[in-house]
């Protein structure tokens, strides 16, 4: 034996939660959907809570994200690829949770956008689409 792991025929799961990507070798391909969810909660401990609503999707041969809804979807996904690329969506979001900092910045940016729009409205009257404005000619 040359010291390398023999991964031939083994299933590899690459799971992504936000920017965090984990690589997990699977020895039992008869994994159920519930076991997969429990595994994801262990792998992403601290980022994934047991009461979070988790949607798991895999990338198919066309690069599309296909939802895994139950164990039969999971076994079909495993048949399609030896490296199963999963993306986890938590509570409908592709990243775990919004931090207070992100919420604060979002509010600030919305306020700035509204201020800029008000200032632009003061500079020139809004024009209707398709109506040309007559600019004074210099002469």
């Amino acid at each position: 034996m040359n010291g390398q792991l023999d991964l031939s025929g083994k299933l590899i799961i690459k799971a992504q939660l936000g920017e965090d990507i984990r690589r997990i070798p699977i020895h039992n391909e008869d994994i159920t959907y519930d076991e997969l969810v429990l595994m994801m909660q262990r792998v992403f401990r601290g980022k994934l809570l047991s009461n979070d609503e988790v949607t798991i999707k895999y990338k198919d041969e066309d690069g599309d994200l296909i939802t895994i809804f139950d164990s039969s979807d999971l076994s079909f996904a495993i048949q399609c690829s030896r490296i199963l690329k999963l993306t986890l969506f938590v509570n409908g979001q592709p990243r775990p949770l919004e931090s207070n900092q992100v919420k604060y910045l979002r509010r600030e940016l919305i306020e700035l956008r509204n201020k800029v729009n008000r200032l632009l409205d003061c500079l020139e009257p809004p024009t209707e689409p398709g109506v040309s404005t007559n600019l004074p000619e210099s002469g």
Side-chain angles (χ1 to χ4, degrees):
M1 188 105 183
N2 60 5
Q4 287 189 331
L5 253 55
D6 177 24
L7 294 177
S8 60
K10 295 248 188 309
L11 172 67
I12 302 291
I13 291 182
K14 286 177 78 175
Q16 178 173 358
L17 179 63
E19 297 297 312
D20 193 0
I21 301 175
R22 307 287 177 94
R23 185 180 178 104
I24 310 143
I26 301 295
H27 304 288
N28 176 14
E29 291 182 23
D30 297 329
I31 182 172
T32 67
Y33 178 77
D34 291 336
E35 290 168 341
L36 177 65
V37 171
L38 287 171
M39 179 190 302
M40 294 300 106
Q41 287 171 346
R42 279 195 308 271
V43 167
F44 294 107
R45 186 173 38 252
K47 294 183 179 185
L48 202 55
L49 305 173
S50 59
N51 61 346
D52 282 335
E53 186 179 314
V54 179
T55 302
I56 301 175
K57 298 185 180 219
Y58 72 96
K59 207 170 262 192
D60 71 358
E61 65 278 359
D62 297 325
D64 296 324
L65 286 174
I66 310 297
T67 302
I68 298 176
F69 186 71
D70 56 22
S71 294
S72 65
D73 288 344
L74 178 58
S75 56
F76 181 76
I78 290 171
Q79 289 171 13
C80 290
S81 177
R82 301 310 307 156
I83 297 179
L84 192 57
K85 296 180 179 177
L86 301 179
T87 304
L88 278 64
F89 295 85
V90 180
N91 301 320
Q93 298 294 318
R95 57 185 181 275
L97 295 173
E98 258 186 53
S99 69
N100 290 334
Q101 182 91 17
V102 173
K103 289 179 184 177
Y104 170 77
L105 289 174
R106 188 182 311 264
R107 272 197 312 270
E108 289 291 308
L109 286 170
I110 288 170
E111 198 174 308
L112 278 173
R113 179 189 63 197
N114 293 340
K115 279 183 183 177
V116 168
N117 286 338
R118 281 194 300 272
L119 286 172
L120 284 172
D121 289 345
C122 290
L123 288 175
E124 56 187 45
T127 57
E128 293 182 30
V131 176
S132 62
T133 57
N134 294 329
L135 297 174
E137 295 180 20
S138 59

